[in-house]
Amino acid sequence: MHTRFLFFLLLCALQFTAFGQENIEKPQSAIPWIRIPADIRASGMGDVGVATEADVNAARWNPAKLVWLGHTSEIGIAYLPYLRTLINDAFLLGANYVKRVNDESALAVGFTYFTIGEVELRETIDQEALLVQPNTFTLDVAYGLQLNNEISVGAGLRFISDNQQTPDDLTSDRAGNALAADIGVFYRSKMQVTEGNDSRWRAGIALSNVGTPIAYVSDGPESPLPTTLRFGLGRDIIYDYDSSLSLTLEANTMVVDVRDNSWGFGLGAEYVFRSDLFLRTGYYLDTAENTDRNYFTLGAGVRRGNVLLDLSYLFSTSRVVNPFENTLRVGISFGFGQRFYHY
């Protein structure tokens, strides 16, 4: 419980570090974990997603990918344990639903919930503990539109509520709420047919979490959202009717002037066999000096009918503990209606 309390204080310090420090030039970004999409497929590929093929979690990365969905509609749930080596009830949970409106457009809705579990607060060791459960949730809606056979665009809106309130108002007197928007473009080339392997190029760019700043104290200072620019390039190599390999390289950075900004790079690969077996791997590199975001990932997926089960695992290469290391992350999705094959 002491570990959980220290972790809670660290979170509060990140959110309110500007309080009473008038000489700080750059603020800390608010709610850093909303930059982590609850996407098990992407988490097995070095957290690449802005330029990968579309799936039920497409809107989390790039809403322009929605129109390339593989079914008439899909629903998916992802569960990511958080700091499992220290506490057992902290997690990130995500749920998404996507539906093709017609041949050129698709609509998505999503929900994400993050918590570090119950925290005991007391001023003295013999005082009866006050239990609090800090949490964050987001509600999303996104729309994708296909412009031609190769290019699509998309946009989304997000409501964010970050509740760090405590019974004694130690840090805040209300939950922090914000509205944010996403926008993206996705390119998927025509198939390039050769005597050996067929192939195609993919590219994507998206700007996410563009929105209102968050304040946790009435008339108090505000913290900007982690507005993030992502862009990437990928290539699909189709060996035959049964197997293919996808390679994707992506980069990201925040475009707001905050202290905790850096560049991140992800390289991911996915091998697909008969559209039923998926093997994934990737590496993520962050340019910050003291970061927990240098890691190697493995992932796999198995499809049975219209049900897809995804798993991923993270091996940290940072000196700082990564909250997702040594945990198995799980996701399941269901496809409904007609199956689409985008050649």
Side-chain angles (χ1 to χ4, degrees):
M1 188 57 64
H2 290 94
T3 300
R4 190 193 308 276
F5 180 62
L6 291 174
F7 180 59
F8 173 69
L9 291 181
L10 175 61
L11 292 178
C12 293
L14 290 175
Q15 299 289 353
F16 309 108
T17 186
F19 286 18
Q21 300 183 32
E22 298 178 356
N23 294 326
I24 292 180
E25 296 181 359
K26 296 181 181 181
Q28 183 89 9
S29 63
I31 326 176
W33 41 84
I34 66 171
R35 298 183 66 197
I36 308 172
D39 181 353
I40 307 305
R41 176 186 174 224
S43 68
M45 299 167 58
D47 280 331
V48 297
V50 74
T52 56
E53 289 286 2
D55 60 16
V56 69
N57 299 299
R60 302 284 186 178
W61 298 93
N62 186 350
K65 299 196 306 178
L66 290 171
V67 295
W68 306 98
L69 192 69
H71 289 87
T72 302
S73 62
E74 293 186 16
I75 186 170
I77 300 174
Y79 174 75
L80 296 81
Y82 194 84
L83 279 176
R84 187 47 51 92
T85 56
L86 299 177
I87 49 182
N88 58 17
D89 55 354
F91 61 87
L92 177 65
L93 179 70
N96 297 289
Y97 174 75
V98 186
K99 180 176 177 57
R100 295 174 65 94
V101 179
N102 51 46
D103 290 340
E104 292 82 29
S105 62
L107 183 69
V109 292
F111 171 77
T112 303
Y113 179 81
F114 173 79
T115 181
I116 63 168
E118 287 190 343
V119 178
E120 292 185 2
L121 299 179
R122 50 167 62 92
E123 294 182 358
T124 61
I125 193 171
D126 57 346
Q127 183 183 27
E128 182 178 354
L130 296 172
L131 297 180
V132 298
Q133 188 168 10
N135 61 83
T136 302
F137 75 86
T138 68
L139 296 173
D140 311 317
V141 60
Y143 179 79
L145 177 66
Q146 186 173 342
L147 300 181
N148 54 42
N149 291 332
E150 297 182 337
I151 299 175
S152 58
V153 296
L157 291 175
R158 176 173 300 112
F159 172 75
I160 304 166
S161 181
D162 189 32
N163 185 5
Q164 303 293 338
Q165 290 177 287
T166 67
D168 286 342
D169 292 331
L170 297 178
T171 56
S172 63
D173 60 6
R174 64 187 175 105
N177 298 322
L179 290 175
D182 301 343
I183 189 170
V185 180
F186 184 65
Y187 168 78
R188 190 175 186 269
S189 74
K190 296 178 181 179
M191 188 73 72
Q192 300 172 355
V193 181
T194 61
E195 292 184 2
N197 303 319
D198 299 340
S199 61
R200 71 160 57 89
W201 288 99
R202 292 172 281 102
I205 183 170
L207 189 63
S208 59
N209 297 316
V210 182
T212 59
I214 282 186
Y216 299 89
V217 177
S218 299
D219 300 323
E222 297 178 330
S223 299
L225 294 179
T227 303
T228 303
L229 175 68
R230 291 187 175 96
F231 53 93
L233 180 68
R235 188 166 179 82
D236 299 326
I237 305 171
I238 295 87
Y239 298 112
D240 50 44
Y241 288 106
D242 289 334
S243 60
S244 64
L245 177 66
S246 298
L247 301 172
T248 307
L249 176 65
E250 296 185 2
N252 70 85
T253 187
M254 285 187 284
V255 295
V256 288
D257 193 19
V258 291
R259 298 196 310 276
D260 53 331
N261 197 10
S262 62
W263 277 92
F265 301 91
L267 176 64
E270 180 179 50
Y271 174 78
V272 182
F273 181 72
R274 294 185 176 179
S275 298
D276 293 325
L277 176 64
F278 306 83
L279 300 177
R280 307 172 183 124
T281 188
Y283 189 79
Y284 189 92
L285 174 68
D286 195 293
T287 59
E289 292 185 6
N290 297 313
T291 179
D292 61 3
R293 302 187 70 198
N294 293 327
Y295 47 84
F296 171 74
T297 65
L298 290 175
V302 178
R303 188 191 304 275
R304 182 73 173 178
N306 289 334
V307 181
L308 175 62
L309 176 67
D310 290 311
L311 305 172
S312 72
Y313 198 88
L314 182 149
F315 301 89
S316 178
T317 59
S318 301
R319 296 181 179 179
V320 182
V321 174
N322 186 290
F324 294 111
E325 65 181 279
N326 301 322
T327 59
L328 184 65
R329 296 173 283 185
V330 182
I332 188 169
S333 60
F334 305 86
F336 303 96
Q338 182 180 352
R339 183 76 182 273
F340 293 88
Y341 298 90
H342 304 284
Y343 296 107

